[in-house]
Amino acid sequence: MKLKLDLDDLANDFFDNTRLAGIVAPLKSYQFCWHLNHLLHFDFRINNDIEIQLQKKKRHYYFSVFEYREPLGSLVHYLYNNQYDGEYLLPEFRHLDFLWLMKGDTVPDAFFQQILASVKTISGVQLVMELTNEKIKNKGHLIF
């Protein structure tokens, strides 16, 4: 008997109770995180243990993931780099530089909108938008 991993179920479980934002900001990831940490009093840090590795065209691509765990509650923020060496983590969103996933606790609309509005004030940020799960074709690429 052969076991098969159901990626749709895995993706649905992973994205249950999450919010995702797409950001256009032609900044280095460490610069963008510095701005977020300074503005929002967060502590985004790179987490090499959950770095996303994709293999395309017989090459390996590494997409860094920054993480911030809120001290009170179970909400965790993940900031993904959407581009590495000409390849995209989510090719359907080539125009986005970063993806911000909030996971682990309910994210109220007011809090989410406040985060988006704050990010828009960072110099260099051109666009901040919410991404719904239905729009994401390659959900499996975000799962670590």
Side-chain angles (χ1 to χ4, degrees):
M1 181 166 111
K2 203 176 207 183
L3 295 177
K4 185 179 176 191
L5 183 62
D6 188 344
L7 292 179
D8 288 336
D9 281 348
L10 183 63
N12 287 337
D13 287 346
F14 183 84
F15 286 99
D16 189 38
N17 207 20
T18 63
R19 298 294 289 263
L20 183 65
I23 302 164
V24 176
L27 300 168
K28 299 283 186 193
S29 54
Y30 64 88
Q31 291 174 317
F32 185 59
C33 283
W34 182 88
H35 284 291
L36 291 175
N37 290 342
H38 183 74
L39 178 68
L40 301 170
H41 305 290
F42 282 9
D43 190 22
F44 271 108
R45 303 273 177 161
I46 194 163
N47 186 338
N48 293 320
D49 293 336
I50 58 175
E51 177 181 76
I52 307 294
Q53 179 181 341
L54 296 179
Q55 185 173 350
K56 292 182 180 182
K57 304 171 193 165
K58 298 184 181 182
R59 291 190 58 208
H60 291 278
Y61 297 93
Y62 303 92
F63 300 91
S64 56
V65 180
F66 293 79
E67 179 180 32
Y68 168 64
R69 294 181 177 274
E70 292 203 2
L72 305 173
S74 57
L75 185 62
V76 184
H77 302 264
Y78 299 100
L79 187 70
Y80 298 79
N81 239 336
N82 191 38
Q83 196 266 351
Y84 176 82
D85 200 24
E87 281 296 327
Y88 297 88
L89 186 60
L90 295 182
E92 62 270 29
F93 295 110
R94 291 177 179 267
H95 62 287
L96 298 177
D97 296 304
F98 300 100
L99 305 161
W100 185 337
L101 178 72
M102 297 176 200
K103 177 178 174 52
D105 203 355
T106 303
V107 179
D109 284 336
F111 176 75
F112 188 71
Q113 293 305 322
Q114 180 184 2
I115 292 283
L116 298 184
S118 296
V119 172
K120 287 177 185 177
T121 67
I122 296 173
S123 177
V125 171
Q126 299 169 358
L127 175 72
V128 181
M129 60 186 266
E130 181 169 11
L131 302 177
T132 59
N133 289 341
E134 300 81 40
K135 293 181 182 177
I136 304 170
K137 295 177 188 170
N138 296 289
K139 288 181 188 175
H141 291 183
L142 297 176
I143 299 173
F144 42 81

